[in-house]
């Protein structure tokens, strides 16, 4: 999986490309927790090019969301493909994680 | 649909998830499965395989996990066999998934996903092997 990081007006954007599973989730966990440790409080995760997610990926998203909430920051998730969104729904994570359709909406919320 | 079995082995390392994905894509296309069906079979097998290799082997040796897929009338049958420590995933309760960020516990999430995706799950300990058989109906959607 490829992780592209960008800064946009003080917002830290992660673009995920490929498959977020138990083999790749560790790399993403390291990257996002590094950003949180460096003081990023507004984070967008762009799922547009993410083809697959398993519970290992969901765990990292949940853990990062909890960590950012503790710092009184916010994470937005955007542009999920249908099958990926379905995994969030099966897990029940769509009921409490902020998922929006487009990057613009995500940036506006922060 | 002609009954035809498709079987392959994975070594007990996480990088084999890519092999799992490649094999499912190849076989799925051969027998005309939808991309949604391939995604859901991949997810269920990923969760099981990850569980097995994370908790099943304590000896540091190389092990093989065998995956077998058999299309039957209206159903895809999956079988996963490993020689790890005895573990029955069907004995786990559903976690509470209707909760807030702060309360949400993540244990058992993989097994919850498998139960949601599959129509039937059956565990058996055969000698030194865990044998898990799963069935998924064509057209069943998890959501």
């Amino acid at each position: 999986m490829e992780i592209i990081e960008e800064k946009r007006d003080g917002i830290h954007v992660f673009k995920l490309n490929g498959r977020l599973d138990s083999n790749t989730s560790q790399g993403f966990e390291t990257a996002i927790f590094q950003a949180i440790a460096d003081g990023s409080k507004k984070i967008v995760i762009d799922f547009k090019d993410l083809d697959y997610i398993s519970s290992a990926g969901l765990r990292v998203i949940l853990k990062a969301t909890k960590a950012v909430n503790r710092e009184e920051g916010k994470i937005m998730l955007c542009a999920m493909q249908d099958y990926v969104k379905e995994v969030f729904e099966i897990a029940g994570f769509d009921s409490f994680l902020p998922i929006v359709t487009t990057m613009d909406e995500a940036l506006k919320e922060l | 649909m002609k009954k035809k079995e498709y079987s392959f082995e994975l070594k007990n390392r996480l990088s084999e998830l890519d092999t799992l994905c490649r094999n499912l894509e190849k076989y799925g296309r051969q027998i005309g499965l939808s991309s949604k069906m391939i995604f859901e079979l991949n997810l269920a097998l990923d969760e099981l395989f990850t569980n097995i290799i994370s908790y099943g082997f304590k000896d540091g040796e190389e092990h093989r996990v065998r995956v077998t897929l058999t299309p039957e009338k209206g159903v895809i049958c999956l079988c996963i066999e490993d020689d790890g420590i005895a573990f029955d995933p069907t004995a786990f309760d559903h976690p509470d998934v209707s909760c807030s960020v702060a309360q949400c516990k993540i244990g058992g999430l993989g097994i919850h996903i498998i139960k949601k995706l599959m129509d039937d799950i059956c565990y058996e300990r055969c000698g030194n092997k865990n044998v898990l058989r799963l069935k998924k109906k064509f057209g069943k959607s998890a959501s």
Side-chain angles (χ1 to χ4, degrees):
Chain A
M1 185 185 66
E2 193 187 6
I3 305 166
I4 300 161
E5 294 183 54
E6 288 172 9
K7 283 272 194 178
R8 291 195 195 182
D9 301 327
I11 297 171
H12 201 123
V13 178
F14 288 89
K15 296 183 172 201
L16 306 181
N17 186 339
R19 299 171 68 85
L20 185 55
D21 57 25
S22 50
N23 192 34
T24 58
S25 59
Q26 186 64 49
F28 178 51
E29 182 168 353
T30 305
I32 196 162
F33 274 87
Q34 186 60 54
I36 296 167
D38 291 343
S40 291
K41 288 188 181 177
K42 294 179 177 180
I43 295 175
V44 173
I45 307 173
D46 181 0
F47 285 79
K48 184 165 69 73
D49 296 317
L50 192 80
D51 302 317
Y52 178 89
I53 191 165
S54 72
S55 67
L58 294 181
R59 281 190 186 93
V60 177
I61 306 280
L62 180 66
K63 232 173 122 178
T65 304
K66 285 181 175 179
V68 170
N69 287 355
R70 275 197 298 273
E71 302 293 324
E72 290 171 349
K74 196 171 180 186
I75 288 190
M76 296 296 298
L77 316 177
C78 72
M80 281 181 198
Q81 297 179 27
D82 288 348
Y83 302 157
V84 170
K85 181 130 192 280
E86 193 188 308
V87 183
F88 279 81
E89 288 165 0
I90 293 169
F93 280 28
D94 60 319
S95 64
F96 57 81
L97 290 177
I99 302 171
V100 292
T101 313
T102 65
M103 170 66 80
D104 282 348
E105 281 174 75
L107 294 170
K108 244 180 255 170
E109 289 284 331
L110 292 172
Chain B
M1 190 184 292
K2 238 188 344 183
K3 186 169 171 175
K4 200 179 165 191
E5 197 176 89
Y6 183 77
S7 190
F8 55 91
E9 279 188 344
L10 303 170
K11 291 174 193 152
N12 57 324
R13 49 178 94 124
L14 286 175
S15 58
E16 287 283 84
L17 283 171
D18 291 336
T19 313
L20 172 66
C21 170
R22 272 199 307 276
N23 284 335
L24 287 176
E25 296 264 343
K26 193 174 120 196
Y27 176 68
R29 272 200 298 271
Q30 273 174 21
I31 64 165
L33 297 181
S34 68
S35 53
K36 183 182 172 70
M37 183 66 147
I38 294 171
F39 183 100
E40 293 185 352
L41 294 178
N42 192 346
L43 182 55
L45 288 168
D46 168 336
E47 298 294 350
L48 287 167
F49 177 72
T50 298
N51 251 340
I52 290 166
I53 67 168
S54 303
Y55 308 111
F57 306 113
K58 305 285 183 198
D59 58 6
E61 301 285 318
E62 185 170 289
H63 292 265
R64 304 284 169 132
V65 177
R66 173 159 288 279
V67 179
T68 306
L69 295 94
T70 318
E72 288 177 8
K73 201 182 171 193
V75 183
I76 284 274
C77 301
L78 309 178
C79 181
I80 286 210
E81 296 163 81
D82 68 85
D83 62 350
I85 55 174
F87 177 68
D88 178 3
T90 64
F92 270 69
D93 288 335
H94 282 210
D96 179 14
V97 292
S98 55
C99 56
S100 71
V101 174
Q103 294 167 331
C104 190
K105 295 195 184 79
I106 51 186
L109 186 56
I111 288 163
H112 168 76
I113 289 174
I114 295 161
K115 285 183 172 173
K116 280 278 193 178
L117 290 173
M118 307 306 292
D119 293 289
D120 189 44
I121 306 176
C122 166
Y123 171 81
E124 218 182 332
R125 183 76 179 171
C126 299
N128 68 337
K129 281 194 171 169
N130 295 305
V131 181
L132 197 67
R133 292 190 177 86
L134 306 103
K135 285 184 183 174
K136 184 169 176 64
K137 289 177 194 157
F138 288 110
K140 155 146 177 154
S141 174
S143 54

